[in-house]
């Protein structure tokens, strides 16, 4: 239908499609009803015959009179549909049977009392023979559905004639209504062609109706009037421009200078637009590509008959695509925070050796998958090296540099480590990758800028990793630099100020580990979440670990649960919910319980959102998506 250019045939085709669909649905409903009705009639007829025959079989069953029983069964031959009948005693043993000529007696399993089923064109029905609540036996009857098929065949013949007649009538109606609908449109087209040929915009189309086409004609006439008015203004404007051109000729030199300045500005603007366009195109690719994988393999998971290996592979691809998508979103959020000046620092004591070891263990499988040798070099390997810094920012810096090296290294090795100096630490990530051209090394950390590599291979990523890394280094008061040779490798160096505090950090860590041991076993958790998927995720995340888990679908339910369950000692509060949102629910809970920890969970990740949650009474804030490690660490911080 989309290839039909004429609106006339589109309307005819649309009306015919609607009629055909309506007729098809009607026929389907009729056949379903007719088949169901005919089968029910056959069942009722057969059931009535079985009841009447069963009453006559009681005495033969009591006296084991097989001859009399067969005579009673012979009366079933008057019913054309019945093929055969088998009589069983009350202990389900065979007694006698009846069968038409050329019809075999089918020894079927006895059904429960008064049950039936259709199979291969036959009705199988079992009737229990009772007298004064005394069971004497079972009568199993097999009836054919020839009459049903004959009746349906007759219906089909009538319906074929009816459908043909209805299609002819539908086509006639389609032609009639098409003419009524398209006549005003063709009138408007003819008038527009006349104006285009004559260039006379004073020709108005006559309007006699009061429907939508009348409004269209009025709008068309109004447009013609506006065009006439515009033409008049153009003539006046042209005269004014001619006068201005005479004046401008005396200032040609000044105009040329201005043009030169504008040309320079244009080049700069085009360069800026090109960079931003390239950035947006890359963002579109980095969002659509994993989304395509997520949606595509989600559909594949619903395919029947998948093997365990296929399911495992599809789930693995879904996880990879999800991680790639969230990394892109996190980069966008981080660069937005940096641009808005909302990035803050949270200093704490950390063991640098542990941080590097954890990152080494995390990236080692990915490096081995590419057959790369990942090496960790510690300046102080014998004992922990504790420093005071922002752990999240430091991990992000090292993570971005390692990911960058793995992405652009096809063979060889990657070395991560650090060296120390007086009140200074220098982290490094070295690789044997493709390298960075000298003329690009100065802009590699700029935002909205990517190095254009002359390689046919496409490297995924948002292109913001190094820009975010440099911003974090600057926030921590450090410096970042690099050394690179094309086709030989690249080395990144991050110099940060630091204060070592080994003993204090060790004591603090030991104490913390002792306090939070097995804390989940005492947790009575209330999950406040309106989204079904998110709620199921959280419930399954803690199932079997917590002492008690309750679920509220909105803020109002959360308040009632907390009032009726004083043993609840931790709340995960969603922010955006129907009925009552997380802000209001938290405020209401704080009116009768100031001690219970409430952690806000939301998809919003900006600093002002965290401030609003804390002002409402939440103890802390976690951004979706999160994993078990993130949420357990947060719980252990507030539950003692």
């Amino acid at each position: 239908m989309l290839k039909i250019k004429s609106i006339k045939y589109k309307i005819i085709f649309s009306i015919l499609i609607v009629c055909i669909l309506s007729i098809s649905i009607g026929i389907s409903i009729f056949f379903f009803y007719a088949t169901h009705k005919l089968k029910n009639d056959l069942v009722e007829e057969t059931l009535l015959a079985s009841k009447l025959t069963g009453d006559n079989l009681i005495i033969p069953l009591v006296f084991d009179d097989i001859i009399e029983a067969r005579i009673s069964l012979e009366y079933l031959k008057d019913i054309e549909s019945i093929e055969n009948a088998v009589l069983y005693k009350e202990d389900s043993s065979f007694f006698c049977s009846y069968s038409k000529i050329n019809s075999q007696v089918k020894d079927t399993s006895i059904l429960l009392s008064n049950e039936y089923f259709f199979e291969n064109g036959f009705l199988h029905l079992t009737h229990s023979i009772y007298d004064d609540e005394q069971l004497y036996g079972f009568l199993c009857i097999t009836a054919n559905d020839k009459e049903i098929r004959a009746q349906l065949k007759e219906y089909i013949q009538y319906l074929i004639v009816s459908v043909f007649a209805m299609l002819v009538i539908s086509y006639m109606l389609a032609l009639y209504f098409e003419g009524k609908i398209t006549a005003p449109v063709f009138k408007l087209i003819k008038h527009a062609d006349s104006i285009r040929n004559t260039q006379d915009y004073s020709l108005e189309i006559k309007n006699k109706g009061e429907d939508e086409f009348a409004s269209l004609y009025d709008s068309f006439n109004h447009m013609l009037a506006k065009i006439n008015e515009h033409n008049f203004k153009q003539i006046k404007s042209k005269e004014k421009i001619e006068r201005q051109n005479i004046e401008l000729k005396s200032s040609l030199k000044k105009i040329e200078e201005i043009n030169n300045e504008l040309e320079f500005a244009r080049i700069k603007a085009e360069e800026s637009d090109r960079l931003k366009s390239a950035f947006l195109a890359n963002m579109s690719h980095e969002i659509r590509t994993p989304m395509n994988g997520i949606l595509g393999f989600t559909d594949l998971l619903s395919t029947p008959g998948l093997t365990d290996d296929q399911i495992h592979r599809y789930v693995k691809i879904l996880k990879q695509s999800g991680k790639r998508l969230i990394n892109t979103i996190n980069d966008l959020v981080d660069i937005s925070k940096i641009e808005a000046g909302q990035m803050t620092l949270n200093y704490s004591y950390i063991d640098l050796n542990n941080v590097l070891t954890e990152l080494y263990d995390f990236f080692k499988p990915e490096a081995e998958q590419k057959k790369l040798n990942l090496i960790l070099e510690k300046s102080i390997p014998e004992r922990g090296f504790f420093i005071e810094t922002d752990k999240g920012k430091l991990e992000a810096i090292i993570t971005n540099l390692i990911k960058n090296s793995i992405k652009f290294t096809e063979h060889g090795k990657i070395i991560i480590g650090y060296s120390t100096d007086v009140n200074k630490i220098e982290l490094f990530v070295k690789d044997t990758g493709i390298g960075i051209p000298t003329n690009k090394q100065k802009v590699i950390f700029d935002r909205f800028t990517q190095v254009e590599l002359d390689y046919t291979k496409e490297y995924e990523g948002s292109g913001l990793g190094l820009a975010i890394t440099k911003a974090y280094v600057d926030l921590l008061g450090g410096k970042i630099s690099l050394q690179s040779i094309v086709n030989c490798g690249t080395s990144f160096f991050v110099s940060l100020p630091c204060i070592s505090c080994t003993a204090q950090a060790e004591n603090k860590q030991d104490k913390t580990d002792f306090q939070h041991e097995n804390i989940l076993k005492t947790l009575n958790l209330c999950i406040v979440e309106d989204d079904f998927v998110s709620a199921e995720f959280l419930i399954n995340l803690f199932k079997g670990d917590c002492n008690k888990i309750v679920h509220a679908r909105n803020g109002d339910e959360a308040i009632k649960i907390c009032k009726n369950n004083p043993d609840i000692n931790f709340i995960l509060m969603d922010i955006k919910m129907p009925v009552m949102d997380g802000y209001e629910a938290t405020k209401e809970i704080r009116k009768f319980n100031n001690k219970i920890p409430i952690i806000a969970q939301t998809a919003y990740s900006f600093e002002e959102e965290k401030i609003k949650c804390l002002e409402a009474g939440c103890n802390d804030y976690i951004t979706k998506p999160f994993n078990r490690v993130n949420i357990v660490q947060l719980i252990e911080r507030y539950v003692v």
Side-chain angles (χ1 to χ4, degrees), residues 107-164:
D107 186 12
T108 58
S109 299
I110 298 177
L111 301 172
L112 295 176
S113 176
N114 296 329
E115 288 198 356
Y116 66 90
F117 66 92
F118 284 89
E119 181 183 43
N120 298 328
F122 291 93
L123 167 65
H124 302 283
L125 184 144
T126 298
H127 172 67
S128 300
I129 302 173
Y130 282 95
D131 184 31
D132 294 332
E133 298 184 356
Q134 173 66 39
L135 177 64
Y136 289 98
F138 301 94
L139 178 60
C140 298
I141 296 178
T142 300
N144 63 60
D145 62 355
K146 293 180 181 178
E147 185 176 350
I148 294 177
R149 284 179 283 169
Q151 189 68 42
L152 290 176
K153 184 177 180 181
E154 184 178 350
Y155 287 161
I156 291 173
Q157 293 173 350
Y158 286 123
L159 285 173
I160 290 174
V161 176
S162 301
V163 168
F164 179 77

Side-chain angles (χ1 to χ4, degrees), residues 248-249 251-268:
L248 289 174
K249 287 180 181 179
S251 306
L252 183 59
K253 184 177 180 180
K254 185 177 181 180
I255 292 174
E256 289 179 353
E257 293 175 355
I258 293 174
N259 286 339
N260 290 335
E261 293 176 1
L262 291 175
E263 179 66 16
F264 178 76
R266 182 186 65 79
I267 294 173
K268 294 293 290 182

Side-chain angles (χ1 to χ4, degrees), residues 583 587 607-618:
Y583 299 123
K587 292 177 183 177
E607 189 67 23
E608 58 266 24
E609 184 71 17
K610 181 177 182 179
I611 294 173
K612 286 176 66 177
C613 294
L614 296 177
E615 289 177 348
C618 295

